[in-house]
């Protein structure tokens, strides 16, 4: 049995679009371990099946380098694949003598420390991030099969007490998650407000977010401060609790961010709002799952100042009415 070390030190959506690859049929006879970014343990812990992993901090690279080298020494991988990682990860693979050190050939350390680099022009966004990752894994293992890229499956605990605590009932509320890290264009705030106004006569709305999402939530929270049908859950949910809220919703309205990927992997209905800019396009970054509907401006030519305004509230309401 080959031992394979898979590495992705990146954000939630990137990890979900990568962790799926170990479910490919050709990986069935491999022993796989993951290296992920600190704070993202809730992804492998709630995956089906659960993954074996270590977390590393990119901020404290000296400590993380030492931890990684120790981990490599103990696991003794035959193959390591770096899907995205800083230079010291490539160095650790080289320093510990991993036989096959594969990764995307782009930055200087990939030429210096990796011995199996693959050129990928991901910025052209001609396929999904998960498919780029699958291509890299096939390359690393000299795998010729072309089976479709799997979708990561996440599970959520049944927690009716949590829903009741926040005055929610299963499939009778819509999650609206307006926040994002700013890596793509977002829907205008007034569109989120208009959508919520037209949902609340028929269903409750649960607003979700973290402290980092405050710039996207301030105006929305102020508008619905005294509306009993808008439940503000910002900063109130642990990751596993957020999974439960997403899973049990009627639908999740969300821009291009990690919550879209989490919701789709949980099997929730996802209405995803995406930028037409090539490097941000849903061709590469769409949430993947059976119940995902993508909304994106059809104008892929700059300037993009008003591109997201082409996504109409009425289109989302029509999608909600079909559920």
């Amino acid at each position: 049995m080959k031992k394979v070390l898979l590495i992705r030190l990146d954000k939630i959506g990137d990890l979900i679009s990568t962790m799926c690859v170990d479910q490919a049929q050709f990986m069935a006879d491999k022993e796989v371990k993951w290296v992920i970014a600190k704070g993202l343990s809730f992804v492998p812990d709630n995956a089906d099946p659960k993954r074996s992993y270590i977390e590393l901090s990119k901020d404290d690279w000296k400590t993380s380098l030492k931890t990684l080298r120790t981990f490599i020494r103990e696991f003794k991988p035959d193959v390591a694949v770096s899907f995205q990682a800083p230079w010291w990860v490539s160095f650790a693979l080289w320093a510990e003598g991993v036989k096959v050190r594969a990764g995307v050939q782009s930055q200087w350390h990939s030429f210096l420390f990796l011995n199996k680099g693959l050129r990928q022009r991901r910025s052209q966004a001609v396929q999904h991030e998960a498919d780029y990752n699958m291509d890299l894994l096939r390359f690393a293992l000299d795998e010729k099969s072309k089976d479709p890229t799997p979708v990561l499956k996440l599970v959520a605990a049944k927690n009716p007490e949590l829903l009741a605590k926040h005055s929610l009932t299963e499939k009778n509320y819509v999650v609206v998650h307006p926040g994002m890290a700013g890596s793509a264009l977002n829907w205008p705030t007034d569109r989120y407000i208009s959508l919520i106004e037209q949902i609340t006569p028929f269903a409750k709305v649960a607003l979700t977010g973290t402290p980092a999402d405050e710039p996207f939530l301030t105006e929305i929270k102020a508008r619905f401060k005294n509306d009993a049908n808008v439940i503000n859950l910002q900063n109130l949910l642990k990751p596993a609790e957020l999974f439960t809220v997403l899973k049990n919703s009627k639908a999740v309205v969300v821009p291009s961010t990690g919550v879209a990927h989490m919701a789709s992997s949980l099997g929730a209905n996802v209405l995803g709002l995406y930028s037409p800019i090539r490097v941000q396009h849903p061709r590469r970054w769409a949430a993947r799952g059976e119940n995902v509907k993508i909304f994106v401006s059809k104008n892929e030519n700059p300037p993009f100042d008003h591109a997201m305004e082409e996504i109409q509230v009425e289109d989302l309401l029509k999608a909600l009415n079909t559920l």
Side-chain angles (χ1 to χ4, degrees):
M1 178 182 288
K2 271 190 176 179
K3 293 184 175 183
V4 181
L5 184 63
L6 303 178
I7 305 162
R8 182 99 198 205
L9 293 178
D10 216 333
K11 295 176 290 186
I12 297 170
D14 305 277
L15 180 59
I16 290 175
S17 296
T18 308
M19 193 163 276
C20 57
V21 301
D22 68 4
Q23 290 300 108
Q25 276 199 323
F26 62 81
M27 295 295 289
D29 61 345
K30 312 289 191 298
E31 181 181 355
V32 177
K33 292 187 183 293
W34 283 87
V35 178
I36 65 174
K38 187 174 182 180
L40 298 188
S41 60
F42 61 86
V43 175
D45 284 344
N46 291 281
D48 180 18
K50 289 186 176 183
R51 269 59 168 189
S52 178
Y53 65 92
I54 62 166
E55 292 180 287
L56 297 179
S57 169
K58 289 197 289 185
D59 296 329
D60 183 9
W61 69 267
K62 291 183 180 179
T63 300
S64 294
L65 173 58
K66 183 178 179 181
T67 301
L68 179 58
R69 293 190 66 172
T70 300
F71 180 71
I72 293 170
R73 224 170 286 145
E74 293 171 352
F75 180 46
K76 297 181 175 62
D78 303 294
V79 179
V81 185
S82 175
F83 296 97
Q84 189 283 336
W87 70 269
W88 49 267
V89 170
S90 300
F91 169 76
L93 300 176
W94 170 80
E96 294 302 325
V98 178
K99 185 177 179 181
V100 177
R101 306 181 299 278
V104 178
Q105 199 169 61
S106 58
Q107 297 183 320
W108 64 268
H109 56 86
S110 64
F111 294 93
L112 188 59
F113 298 122
L114 302 182
N115 59 7
K116 200 165 188 179
L118 177 65
R119 293 288 289 177
Q120 288 184 314
R121 301 185 184 280
R122 298 192 180 201
S123 61
Q124 294 184 355
V126 296
Q127 63 179 2
H128 198 277
E129 180 73 4
D131 296 320
Y132 283 116
N133 293 324
M134 181 59 77
D135 287 347
L136 179 55
L137 182 61
R138 288 193 185 101
F139 173 78
L141 296 173
D142 296 319
E143 176 61 43
K144 304 304 180 187
S145 69
K146 292 295 181 181
D147 294 335
T149 305
V151 175
L152 183 71
K153 182 181 179 182
L154 295 175
V155 294
K158 289 188 176 295
N159 192 344
E161 295 81 10
L162 173 70
L163 298 182
K165 175 184 175 182
H166 297 295
S167 304
L168 300 173
T169 55
E170 185 177 340
K171 303 303 178 184
N172 283 323
Y173 62 92
V174 175
V175 172
V176 177
H177 184 95
M180 63 189 318
S183 56
L185 297 180
N186 201 348
W187 212 29
T189 299
D190 63 341
R191 297 291 174 90
Y192 283 112
I193 289 174
S194 178
L195 177 68
I196 294 169
E197 287 174 340
Q198 295 181 67
I199 292 174
T200 49
F202 309 101
K204 288 187 176 182
V205 169
L207 286 175
T208 58
T210 67
D213 296 319
E214 185 61 34
F216 301 98
L217 282 165
T218 300
E219 190 176 340
I220 299 172
K221 290 189 298 181
R223 165 63 182 81
F224 298 103
K225 184 177 181 180
N226 299 314
D227 192 330
N229 283 328
V230 179
I231 313 298
N232 178 19
L233 299 181
Q234 184 190 15
N235 307 332
L236 298 181
L237 302 173
K238 298 175 182 176
E241 293 174 332
L242 175 60
F243 280 15
T244 295
V245 170
L246 296 174
K247 172 73 173 177
N248 289 283
S249 67
K250 180 181 177 69
V252 180
V253 179
V254 60
S256 181
T257 191
V259 170
H261 297 276
M262 289 190 288
S264 60
S265 286
L266 287 162
N269 293 308
V270 176
L271 307 184
L273 306 164
Y274 283 85
S275 162
I277 298 174
R278 185 172 60 185
V279 295
Q280 304 170 6
H281 201 278
R283 275 193 305 270
R284 182 178 174 191
W285 293 113
R288 299 168 69 239
E290 295 181 359
N291 306 311
V292 177
K293 185 170 179 58
I294 299 301
F295 297 84
V296 60
S297 163
K298 292 180 172 56
N299 181 11
E300 295 190 33
N301 299 309
F304 297 105
D305 296 352
H306 302 286
M308 298 300 284
E309 295 175 14
E310 293 185 22
I311 301 174
Q312 301 298 319
V313 171
E314 291 73 18
D315 294 332
L316 272 78
L317 289 172
K318 287 178 183 176
L320 284 171
N321 286 333
T322 65
L323 301 177

